[in-house]
Amino acid sequence: MSEHAEVSTQDKGSFGLYSLGFFLSVVLTLAAYFLVQGYLRSGGTAFTRDFLIGAIVGLAVLQFFVQIFFFLHLGRETKPRWKLLVLFFMILVILILVLGSLWIMSNLNYRMTPQQINQYMQNQDGGI
Amino acid sequence: MSELAETAVLHEERRHSDDKTMFGFWTYIMTDCVLFASLFATYAVLHNNTFGGPSGRTLFSLPYVLVETLALLTSSFTCGLAVLAAQRGFKKQVLFWFALTALLGLVFLGMELHEFHDFVAQGASWRRSGFLSAFFTLVGTHGAHITAGLIWMITMMTQVARRGLTRGTLRRLQLLGLFWHFLDIVWIFIFTIVYLQGVSL
């Protein structure tokens, strides 16, 4: 019994923290859901689409941090914070990967004339 | 006296190796995030390429996906409670919370498979358009992770029932908890970027 306590004294949550994290996650999920439903019901006139996308992505990022903190207990690590360091590196890689892909692809779209795109599509069709 | 010191050193070494395992698993999860990021990027590039087929707006049913999301979120919470009970050495509570987690995970997986089946029956399979290929790959990969997690969870429940909460099972339960929370975090982004954004296009 004492060994259990020994193995797991640091880096752990409590019932209160898990419940708070769960509550916040549900609130954030429902907020994003009703924002989109409101937008659809108003026929897209309640606010602009850019605002809607920005808001729901913002809510998702917020929920990401809520779950990282309350469920994964990050930020309460003891001194050499390797997990946090690896997390930051992962976020960096993801940003380069996702934003880079979107940038390159939209740039390609921009540089192709509609005629070139049609030509390309026809050549593709010939192959099927 | 020296014996006491030796056990203290032993404990310290064990804790150290457990921490190493946790860190190794954490690193695996971070690399898995990169896998999901590349699938997200593919989806983001292809999500408008419906090739005359159905778009997200006509396919997705938001209330259905919301129920799915809440089921997975609740399972992430009960999974946390299971790990908490394991750390405190309450075997019966561990089994109860993990059973609940597995049940909610099964509900989630069943709803997802039902949705896939529905789409394919409507003629919106992964062969229909670039958008649907990217959709099925991204959401399907997450579903495959959930399936693996459920198999792992059932294995762990049998281990706990048979061997009890030893140092080994406790360590593996913590890794499983980490994995399950991670899957819920990935789903937040699928819910937001695929479903919520898909219907508001």
Side-chain angles (χ1 to χ4, degrees):
Chain A
M1 188 62 223
S2 72
E3 204 188 345
H4 293 149
E6 202 74 44
V7 172
S8 55
T9 39
Q10 54 141 13
D11 184 35
K12 298 299 149 347
S14 70
F15 181 75
L17 280 174
Y18 275 114
S19 308
L20 185 59
F22 178 57
F23 173 73
L24 288 174
S25 298
V26 170
V27 168
L28 290 169
T29 303
L30 290 178
Y33 174 79
F34 284 113
L35 212 58
V36 172
Q37 287 291 28
Y39 175 80
L40 291 178
R41 283 222 187 86
S42 70
T45 54
F47 26 75
T48 63
R49 215 183 89 77
D50 288 343
F51 172 78
L52 178 77
I53 301 298
I56 57 174
V57 170
L59 287 171
V61 171
L62 209 59
Q63 197 181 340
F64 168 75
F65 283 115
V66 165
Q67 295 210 4
I68 284 278
F69 181 77
F70 288 102
F71 288 174
L72 296 180
H73 318 302
L74 224 68
R76 273 177 284 146
E77 236 180 333
T78 41
K79 206 52 205 276
R81 299 196 165 92
W82 294 114
K83 280 172 140 188
L84 207 62
L85 195 70
V86 180
L87 178 82
F88 284 147
F89 181 65
M90 181 274 287
I91 291 174
L92 180 72
V93 170
I94 284 177
L95 286 179
I96 293 171
L97 193 67
V98 174
L99 297 181
S101 302
L102 287 173
W103 184 22
I104 289 169
M105 294 313 284
S106 75
N107 198 256
L108 274 177
N109 259 346
Y110 176 75
R111 285 177 191 282
M112 270 175 108
T113 62
Q115 206 188 351
Q116 278 176 316
I117 293 174
N118 282 340
Q119 183 71 41
Y120 175 76
M121 296 279 272
Q122 267 166 15
N123 289 344
Q124 291 295 300
D125 278 346
I128 292 172
Chain B
M1 184 61 213
S2 76
E3 216 168 82
L4 251 174
E6 259 172 44
T7 38
V9 167
L10 200 66
H11 272 309
E12 186 57 30
E13 270 173 11
R14 278 180 175 177
R15 204 179 56 76
H16 209 66
S17 87
D18 278 355
D19 282 353
K20 267 192 203 160
T21 313
M22 282 298 257
F23 177 66
F25 196 74
W26 177 261
T27 311
Y28 149 69
I29 283 179
M30 293 299 109
T31 56
D32 223 16
C33 281
V34 175
L35 166 73
F36 277 108
S38 53
L39 294 177
F40 269 114
T42 312
Y43 178 82
V45 167
L46 291 175
H47 77 286
N48 280 322
N49 302 13
T50 52
F51 201 57
S55 68
R57 182 158 204 171
T58 50
L59 277 177
F60 302 150
S61 153
L62 267 198
Y64 186 84
V65 181
L66 181 69
V67 174
E68 223 181 312
T69 304
L70 290 179
L72 194 63
L73 184 58
T74 312
S75 85
S76 192
F77 174 57
T78 54
C79 182
L81 295 186
V83 173
L84 206 62
Q87 285 161 2
R88 292 178 183 167
F90 301 139
K91 184 175 153 184
K92 275 190 182 152
Q93 275 193 31
V94 172
L95 289 174
F96 170 75
W97 288 120
F98 267 123
L100 201 60
T101 309
L103 196 70
L104 286 163
L106 274 175
V107 167
F108 171 84
L109 197 64
M111 285 183 81
E112 185 166 290
L113 289 175
H114 180 257
E115 187 192 35
F116 282 1
H117 180 261
D118 227 36
F119 287 178
V120 173
Q122 288 175 47
S125 77
W126 47 91
R127 303 169 70 178
R128 185 65 189 82
S129 64
F131 154 65
L132 283 164
S133 300
F135 167 81
F136 276 104
T137 312
L138 173 58
V139 182
T141 304
H142 180 266
H145 277 76
I146 291 280
T147 313
L150 282 173
I151 294 169
W152 188 6
M153 205 175 287
I154 290 162
T155 315
M156 282 318 298
M157 279 162 69
T158 11
Q159 276 196 8
V160 170
R162 282 190 170 176
R163 299 183 202 168
L165 293 165
T166 63
R167 188 169 147 267
T169 50
L170 181 60
R171 189 186 58 227
R172 288 192 285 275
L173 285 178
Q174 285 173 339
L175 299 182
L176 173 61
L178 209 60
F179 186 65
W180 201 256
H181 291 318
F182 152 70
L183 290 181
D184 188 45
I185 290 175
V186 172
W187 184 259
I188 301 170
F189 288 96
I190 294 185
F191 178 63
T192 304
I193 290 168
V194 176
Y195 290 99
L196 288 181
Q197 223 176 122
V199 293
S200 53
L201 275 176

